[in-house]
Amino acid sequence: MSKVLFVMTGVDYWTLADGTEHPTGYWAEEMVAPYRAIKTAGHEIVVATPGGVVPTVDQGSLAPEANGGADGAAEIARTLADAAELRSPVRLEDVDLGDYDAVYYPGGHGPMEDLSVNADSGALLNAALTSGKPLGIVCHAPAALLATAIDGDSPFVGFRVTAFTNAEEAQAGFADKAKWLLQDRLVELGVDFREGEPWAPHIEVDRNLFTGQNPASSAPLAAEIVKALD
């Protein structure tokens, strides 16, 4: 049995360009699909957040239209309610990578607010990349890569990476409201950004780095992480 660390946002808002706070948090599917896959494979999960706060789910991600209908939404909600790990997160500041066999970052707009500037997360990402352990990051969570350029260039420069695209942000109605767009910032960071069709599953695997473009990519991303742990 392996132990997998889920690093999750600790905020319930995302500050827009006009200064207003848009209610958010983590995106349910991006937590639930990998959670189910990793637990079903017999592995242990530990959740970490900045300060050890209990993470907040984006209410929009619980809606039927975000989960293929009412039955899917109910199933997502049940999994979240049963996931005891979400109610007792450890402090990100206290995490020792040596205690874990893989690291996974679910998205939602929350990471755009806190993990994008969190030095502890940035140091953990750099250490995970260097360690060779599976490192999975999906949707908006690659915003956390922006905190990896601690001393000069980020070690992620040149790695193939995907994330929530400008086209998807525009279709979601936030491109003209955001302070910055994730795809633009990742390109500026120096990663080799790869863009798939909007909303379709798309993952990139480059060495031990596994990235997914959007919520639909979280299940195939999780499958790759489970395969890497076997």
Side-chain angles (χ1 to χ4, degrees), residues 156-179:
F156 290 84
V157 169
F159 273 75
R160 289 195 317 277
V161 170
T162 190
F164 204 68
T165 65
N166 290 355
E168 287 168 322
E169 204 72 84
Q171 291 176 22
F174 287 108
D176 60 349
K177 300 176 183 176
K179 286 183 177 180

Side-chain angles (χ1 to χ4, degrees), residues 8-14 22-28 30-31 54-61 106-115 140-141:
M8 302 179 67
T9 180
V11 299
D12 60 4
Y13 65 93
W14 174 39
H22 173 70
T24 186
Y26 68 88
W27 197 260
E30 296 165 24
M31 189 278 175
V54 174
T56 298
V57 65
D58 187 312
Q59 290 299 308
S61 69
H109 279 110
M112 299 270 283
E113 184 75 26
D114 62 348
L115 298 182
H140 286 93

Side-chain angles (χ1 to χ4, degrees), residues 49-54 89-93 118:
T49 62
V53 303
V54 174
V90 301
R91 286 165 38 93
L92 177 58
E93 299 86 343
N118 187 293

Side-chain angles (χ1 to χ4, degrees), residues 190-207:
V191 305
D192 179 8
F193 192 91
R194 302 294 180 93
E195 179 176 358
E197 289 297 317
W199 311 108
H202 174 220
I203 64 173
E204 292 289 338
V205 180
D206 190 344
R207 288 154 278 185

Side-chain angles (χ1 to χ4, degrees), residues 50-215:
V53 303
V54 174
T56 298
V57 65
D58 187 312
Q59 290 299 308
S61 69
L62 299 177
E65 54 268 27
N67 294 289
D71 290 346
E75 191 175 346
I76 286 271
R78 277 196 300 272
T79 301
L80 292 178
D82 292 341
E85 296 90 345
L86 285 171
R87 296 188 289 278
S88 55
V90 301
R91 286 165 38 93
L92 177 58
E93 299 86 343
D94 299 334
V95 164
D96 180 350
L97 179 63
D99 294 335
Y100 301 95
D101 302 290
V103 178
Y104 171 68
Y105 279 63
H109 279 110
M112 299 270 283
E113 184 75 26
D114 62 348
L115 298 182
S116 64
V117 293
N118 187 293
D120 294 301
S121 172
L124 175 67
L125 285 166
N126 289 347
L129 188 70
T130 302
S131 74
K133 297 176 180 181
L135 171 59
I137 319 173
V138 73
C139 201
H140 286 93
L145 297 181
L146 303 178
T148 62
I150 299 171
D151 298 307
D153 289 337
S154 165
F156 290 84
V157 169
F159 273 75
R160 289 195 317 277
V161 170
T162 190
F164 204 68
T165 65
N166 290 355
E168 287 168 322
E169 204 72 84
Q171 291 176 22
F174 287 108
D176 60 349
K177 300 176 183 176
K179 286 183 177 180
W180 45 270
L181 296 177
L182 179 55
Q183 180 176 347
D184 292 346
R185 284 290 180 89
L186 290 174
V187 170
E188 291 170 7
L189 183 69
V191 305
D192 179 8
F193 192 91
R194 302 294 180 93
E195 179 176 358
E197 289 297 317
W199 311 108
H202 174 220
I203 64 173
E204 292 289 338
V205 180
D206 190 344
R207 288 154 278 185
N208 63 313
L209 178 63
F210 304 78
T211 54
Q213 180 171 315
N214 46 36

